[in-house]
Amino acid sequence: MRPTRSRTSAGATAVTALAALLAVPAGGTARAAQPEQLTIDLATDTGAFHGGASGSLYGVYGDGVPSRNVLEGMHVRTVSTKAQDGPQHPGADALEMLPPFVDSGGKDVYVYMTDIYRGFPYQWPGADGPARLADFEEKIKKQVQQVLTLDGAYKDHVVYVPFNEPEGNMFGTGEWSYDKVSWLKDPQAYFAAWKDVYRLIKGLDPGARIAGPNTSVLYDQVKGFLQYAKANDVVPDVMTWHELSSPAAVRTSVAKYRQMEKDVGVGPLPVNVNEYGHNFHLSVPGQVVQWVSAIEDSKIDADLAYWNIDGNLNDSAVEANKGNGQWWLFNAYGQMSGHTVEVTAPHPNQQYTLQGVATLDEDKQQSRAIFGGKSGDADVVFRNIDPKLFGSAVHATVQEIPWTGQVGDSAQPLRLADQELAVGADGTVTLPMTGMNEMSAYQVILSPGGHGAVPAEPSVSWRGTYEAENATYTGGGYSKNGPEGTPSNVGGFATSGTYNVGGLRTGSDGVLGFDVEVPQDGTYDLSVFANSYNLYDLVKEQGPTNVFLRVDGADPQELRLPLGYKWVVWGHTDTTVKLTAGRHRITLAAKDPDLGVTKGDAIIDKIDLSLRDARVTAPAVYEAEYATLSGTRPTYTRPGASGPGTVPLGKGATATFWVHSPTDGEATVSVDHLGGGRASLSLNGEKLDVSKVGGDKKGTDRVRMFLSGGINKITVTGASRALLLDRLRVARTGGTLTTRVYQAEDGRLSGAAKVTAAYTFATGGKAVTDIGDGTANALTVDVVADRGGRHAVTIRYSNAEQPPATHYNPDPIARHADLSVNGGPAHRVLFPTTFHFNNFWELTVPLTLRKGTNRLTFTADELPDFNGDTYNQYDQRSPYAPVIDRIAVTPLAQKQPA
């Protein structure tokens, strides 16, 4: 239950969240007082870009949770996960998540072999230590034999982790230990077990890679482990430990370990710090970028820690196919290339201060920097800018990656500025950043300037943030909760302003009033950052907590606030309000005379307001020279381009864009080019059945596409000659791609499948439940396609199945449906938890339909374990499909006439 605090007086404060880039002459002074400086020395090469910080512990549930778009776009390099069929948590089975992970560009899957047991400490059976170890070795044999059945293209990505935190677990002092003696005091039993298990694995799979010792920290005793391993020819192929500490400790520990290697005479070995970060850090771009900086400086791999639910990339992924601010930070990080350069922070290696990482790619003539962790002002100084690469001027694009909560979807980074800046005589450019938010991360991209590029407008105008704890509360039930996560309470969740407000709940008459002031008449986007704990008694009744919004006592709206897997897990509910210039009061209330009363219980963190002007409503711009490129590089000398340059796409060369869509639905993608050839388009890995884009002259090709809510991968591939690709512009549209909607309750039901009216937020109050537990219990829906080809089939569903857990991890289950078209082979679709059966989300599946009527059949049955001879004993593999509300069918794409 949430802690309750006594009521305090509340004022109202607006925080301007827009960081402005102010161009100043090179070497000039931006402000009277000297601000802090983050200095980037482009002449000091610190090694090839590694990208190792984008790793995840238990972040991938299975194929589709999260989607392959989300996996690939986050550039996830390593995943640590449970042994196949292990009962630690639902999903995340190593050999089931490995193929989609590798197919999405992943490098290595670290298999926690100990997670074949239940509980933590691991409950390995046996009358004594030797008996327990013998049981474990039999399970290790089975795991290796299962890996050996994989195709070599997948098998080679497996890294075995025989023990996890052995010093406090299997070879610790507890009830489930080997002999109740920690190997940190007497290592003999652990060392002998390591040697036996290492040789067992290598005997079965000589090419196996083995990681260890996987301690909870880098103990001094690890040096003795290395000495023993060297003496017995059982040195791990990868050195692993955990850093549930700080970014500063990462740099210190890696340096300490490298000295151990030198002293012992082994290595240097690859390193994976396969658990890092805390609840207070995860989801917060301004916090995580500090870890990224330390990990990249150390040139190691590292995996985000697993504190909450699996399958969401450690609070990076939202639903199946969306990303929050942390996801976009890793998207920016993963698009770095070339080599890293020296970054000098104002407080080097000190957490909760401004830190960053930067790269220079000479081939692309591009430098990228990501940084954050500080509120207020700072100068970002690029030194030693090579005139041979950049010329006498640079084109600087500055973006902000805001915090959007753990379960809050985020749009693409905000473009704060796009400018041409002269390089000083000393090779320096200074970018003054003002009004930074410590929860945000920022990206700067430098390219050659001076070629007539027209700077793009910022993508955001006026913004204001209003904290709930400073709002005025009237009525009963008020609580001011916090402080939540802080540097001294890293186990708590990050919260804007560290406090939040409760009181809007069933039976309350509470009203939370925010006094706001806006600069001009217009429509404003309003985001309410809120949370309800899905298993709390008042919340369980209805699911999403509903509250009522008014502006100056008028224009009532009912809002459904986000659910989370725990208290203080933030998402946001978005709407628009019309405001005139000046002061207004925006209220959130637990009852409304026109609309009804609240059911549930919610806490409110803040509201964000932003002016919805032409900058916001303009199509989103994705410059080709900033895309992920293959087989080509940008060119910066063509006049008439948007941004600093263009990308020539010869035959087979590609430019891949990570495009955000707020919802599932039609968008117009405008392909701007300067002629020179033609190219084909693909969407989310699907080659689109549209005519090629491009031509001999400068122009724009417009393609209507069905974009999935969240992250979309659009790839432009050269087809003939060399199309000079300038950019993509993406805008939500409608009316071209015809959508047909079918209510599930109108379909044909068989067996135990039935219509239910239990879920009030289903369309029309009805949905279909009890699909599965055998293929006889099915839903069949006949849908119509106007033409044959690929279609987007969007399923509105709910799923809240959650078995008892043995950890702090909530352990929800991703249900599945086996979906077949016209009696063909079934395609398995995973549906992540929606946190309540009365909370409905949408998930889109691309399917090939024939012209006319097509029959879609949904079935489900419990999946057996890998060998097909056993089933999970702990209800961690559901036999049921989700509750299905409706199905919508839309053509995937259509090109518009020029």
Side-chain angles (χ1 to χ4, degrees):
M1 187 173 179
R2 304 181 319 287
T4 300
R5 299 288 185 265
S6 60
R7 182 175 178 178
T8 61
S9 60
T13 303
V15 179
T16 301
L18 177 61
L21 174 67
L22 306 176
V24 296
T29 301
R31 294 171 290 279
Q34 286 296 321
E36 291 186 343
Q37 283 193 353
L38 184 82
T39 303
I40 299 165
D41 184 357
L42 296 185
T44 304
D45 184 339
T46 59
F49 174 69
H50 186 66
S54 187
S56 173
L57 174 65
Y58 270 91
V60 183
Y61 190 104
D63 195 359
V65 180
S67 71
R68 296 192 180 198
N69 288 347
V70 167
L71 266 176
E72 185 178 351
M74 189 168 156
H75 305 277
V76 182
R77 180 176 168 89
T78 58
V79 167
S80 296
T81 198
K82 75 175 185 181
Q84 179 66 35
D85 304 329
Q88 279 284 310
H89 307 282
D93 295 85
L95 305 189
E96 294 173 29
M97 55 72 53
L98 188 148
F101 170 69
V102 171
D103 292 348
S104 301
K107 181 177 181 287
D108 289 327
V109 172
Y110 287 75
V111 180
Y112 275 29
M113 305 184 87
T114 44
D115 284 20
I116 200 67
Y117 293 113
R118 184 80 166 159
F120 192 84
Y122 299 110
Q123 299 167 7
W124 52 338
D128 56 19
R132 289 177 171 177
L133 184 59
D135 182 81
F136 185 37
E137 288 179 343
E138 286 301 312
K139 289 179 168 55
I140 286 175
K141 287 180 186 177
K142 184 175 182 179
Q143 291 182 51
V144 177
Q145 289 164 350
Q146 290 174 336
V147 169
L148 291 173
T149 67
L150 298 177
D151 180 277
Y154 294 128
K155 181 178 74 67
D156 293 344
H157 292 269
V158 171
V159 182
Y160 298 100
V161 185
F163 299 100
N164 178 37
E165 300 186 358
E167 78 287 350
N169 199 322
M170 292 172 129
F171 292 88
T173 60
E175 173 190 357
W176 291 98
S177 71
Y178 183 87
D179 57 5
K180 296 183 170 55
V181 176
S182 172
W183 77 264
L184 298 177
K185 292 186 176 180
D186 183 356
Q188 295 180 67
Y190 171 64
F191 285 0
W194 171 266
K195 179 178 67 176
D196 290 347
V197 167
Y198 181 100
R199 291 177 176 174
L200 172 62
I201 295 170
K202 292 281 190 177
L204 293 168
D205 182 3
R209 286 180 292 154
I210 301 174
N214 226 59
T215 47
S216 57
V217 299
L218 183 71
Y219 292 101
D220 292 338
Q221 290 89 333
V222 169
K223 184 174 180 179
F225 168 79
L226 286 174
Q227 290 168 332
Y228 176 88
K230 180 183 179 184
N232 291 273
D233 196 23
V234 290
V235 175
D237 299 282
V238 184
M239 175 58 60
T240 55
W241 70 86
H242 303 160
E243 283 292 353
L244 301 176
S245 50
S246 70
V250 170
R251 293 184 175 95
T252 301
S253 293
V254 173
K256 175 181 175 180
Y257 168 70
R258 293 303 184 198
Q259 187 59 49
M260 288 182 184
E261 285 185 325
K262 291 178 181 178
D263 293 344
V264 174
V266 300
L269 300 175
V271 169
N272 189 341
V273 171
N274 50 12
E275 294 186 29
Y276 78 87
H278 296 273
N279 273 328
F280 177 54
H281 309 133
L282 300 189
S283 85
V284 185
Q287 294 290 343
V288 175
V289 72
Q290 299 175 56
W291 289 91
V292 170
S293 173
I295 291 162
E296 184 61 39
D297 282 355
S298 302
K299 304 302 180 187
I300 62 170
D301 292 335
D303 298 344
L304 294 160
Y306 169 46
W307 299 114
N308 299 303
I309 63 175
D310 62 352
N312 75 348
L313 292 171
N314 314 88
D315 293 328
S316 304
V318 177
E319 301 179 22
N321 190 55
K322 298 177 180 178
N324 60 15
Q326 178 170 281
W327 186 92
W328 284 102
L329 169 66
F330 281 110
N331 176 261
Y333 171 61
Q335 292 191 81
M336 288 179 150
S337 57
H339 61 82
T340 51
V341 295
E342 183 178 73
V343 176
T344 303
H347 306 281
N349 207 27
Q350 182 177 329
Q351 196 171 8
Y352 309 117
T353 65
L354 181 62
Q355 304 289 329
V357 62
T359 57
L360 175 64
D361 188 326
E362 283 94 346
D363 288 339
K364 293 174 71 173
Q365 297 175 263
Q366 199 172 94
S367 176
R368 294 187 181 226
I370 53 174
F371 53 91
K374 169 188 168 58
S375 286
D377 302 340
D379 286 346
V380 178
V381 181
F382 287 85
R383 298 194 183 279
N384 294 311
I385 296 173
D386 186 349
K388 294 179 181 178
L389 285 177
F390 290 94
S392 60
V394 294
H395 190 103
T397 296
V398 183
Q399 299 171 335
E400 180 182 357
I401 305 171
W403 175 69
T404 56
Q406 293 85 355
V407 296
D409 179 30
S410 175
Q412 68 274 14
L414 301 169
R415 186 173 59 253
L416 301 182
D418 191 59
Q419 296 198 3
E420 297 264 322
L421 303 173
V423 179
D426 59 353
T428 298
V429 163
T430 298
L431 307 178
M433 302 289 299
T434 66
M436 290 192 298
N437 186 322
E438 66 183 0
M439 299 184 83
S440 294
Y442 297 85
Q443 176 172 229
V444 173
I445 305 176
L446 290 190
S447 305
H451 300 292
V454 178
E457 285 284 325
S459 63
V460 61
S461 295
W462 181 90
R463 289 183 285 165
T465 290
Y466 302 85
E467 298 290 349
E469 62 269 26
N470 296 330
T472 300
Y473 190 95
T474 57
Y478 175 85
S479 65
K480 179 182 177 182
N481 308 308
E484 305 292 359
T486 64
S488 59
N489 176 27
V490 293
F493 290 107
T495 300
S496 179
T498 73
Y499 290 90
N500 59 82
V501 167
L504 304 181
R505 61 176 66 95
T506 301
S508 169
D509 61 351
V511 179
L512 186 63
F514 296 85
D515 292 322
V516 307
E517 187 168 1
V518 299
Q520 66 185 67
D521 296 358
T523 298
Y524 288 78
D525 289 317
L526 172 66
S527 291
V528 179
F529 278 67
N531 162 249
S532 291
Y533 174 36
N534 66 323
L535 297 185
Y536 190 61
D537 283 344
L538 289 180
V539 178
K540 284 194 292 186
E541 179 183 357
Q542 176 177 267
T545 299
N546 60 315
V547 298
F548 304 95
L549 168 73
R550 283 181 179 254
V551 178
D552 299 326
D555 302 321
Q557 299 183 43
E558 182 175 12
L559 304 180
R560 296 176 193 166
L561 300 181
L563 291 170
Y565 46 77
K566 295 177 183 176
W567 283 118
V568 202
V569 171
W570 302 109
H572 52 85
T573 294
D574 304 325
T575 187
T576 59
V577 292
K578 291 186 177 180
L579 302 174
T580 56
R583 295 178 62 84
H584 299 273
R585 173 160 285 194
I586 295 175
T587 55
L588 300 174
K591 60 170 59 175
D592 188 277
D594 297 326
L595 300 180
V597 298
T598 287
K599 294 182 180 179
D601 194 351
I603 51 176
I604 311 296
D605 182 21
K606 64 170 182 172
I607 64 170
D608 285 344
L609 271 179
S610 60
L611 176 63
R612 190 170 181 80
D613 62 1
R615 290 179 172 180
V616 175
T617 59
V621 174
Y622 299 87
E623 294 288 353
E625 57 272 27
Y626 300 158
T628 302
L629 305 179
S630 176
T632 186
R633 66 181 71 171
T635 180
Y636 300 97
T637 58
R638 288 295 297 263
S642 162
T646 59
V647 172
L649 292 177
K651 189 172 183 179
T654 62
T656 296
F657 301 84
W658 302 100
V659 172
H660 175 263
S661 177
T663 59
D664 295 83
E666 179 186 310
T668 296
V669 176
S670 297
V671 183
D672 295 332
H673 59 83
L674 273 62
R678 294 191 178 275
S680 61
L681 295 176
S682 65
L683 171 65
N684 302 329
E686 301 263 348
K687 186 173 181 179
L688 296 180
D689 185 20
V690 297
S691 57
K692 293 180 174 60
V693 298
D696 295 328
K697 299 179 180 180
K698 178 179 178 180
T700 297
D701 292 278
R702 294 176 179 84
V703 181
R704 298 285 200 269
M705 297 184 190
F706 184 97
L707 298 186
S708 296
I711 309 301
N712 293 268
K713 175 187 174 184
I714 298 178
T715 302
V716 186
T717 303
S720 62
R721 293 182 290 155
L723 177 69
L724 280 179
L725 182 65
D726 187 9
R727 64 181 179 178
L728 300 187
R729 289 176 294 131
V730 181
R732 295 179 65 189
T733 54
T736 299
L737 302 178
T738 303
T739 298
R740 298 178 184 269
V741 179
Y742 304 86
Q743 299 301 322
E745 64 269 22
D746 296 332
R748 185 166 61 257
L749 308 181
S750 61
K754 64 178 183 292
V755 176
T756 178
Y759 307 125
T760 55
F761 292 151
T763 308
K766 292 182 179 180
V768 174
T769 188
D770 292 340
I771 303 165
D773 198 21
T775 57
N777 308 311
L779 165 67
T780 300
V781 179
D782 288 339
V783 303
V784 175
D786 292 331
R787 56 187 174 87
R790 297 297 274 174
H791 286 69
V793 175
T794 303
I795 304 159
R796 189 170 191 261
Y797 78 97
S798 70
N799 166 33
E801 188 166 354
Q802 187 166 320
T806 62
H807 302 73
Y808 42 76
N809 305 98
D811 281 355
I813 286 175
R815 286 186 170 187
H816 74 277
D818 293 323
L819 172 57
S820 67
V821 181
N822 299 321
H827 171 66
R828 179 156 293 146
V829 183
L830 285 181
F831 295 82
T833 180
T834 65
F835 302 121
H836 195 282
F837 279 112
N838 200 27
N839 190 37
F840 289 86
W841 292 347
E842 291 187 337
L843 188 145
T844 292
V845 181
L847 295 175
T848 299
L849 302 180
R850 65 194 181 198
K851 183 178 180 180
T853 300
N854 295 261
R855 179 156 294 175
L856 306 184
T857 302
F858 297 84
T859 62
D861 206 352
E862 183 175 354
L863 302 176
D865 291 335
F866 187 84
N867 289 6
D869 54 354
T870 56
Y871 286 81
N872 184 276
Q873 304 175 46
Y874 301 98
D875 297 325
Q876 293 174 318
R877 288 184 182 267
S878 177
Y880 291 102
V883 172
I884 297 180
D885 176 25
R886 70 179 183 222
I887 297 99
V889 179
T890 313
L892 204 56
Q894 180 177 320
K895 187 176 177 183
Q896 294 297 105

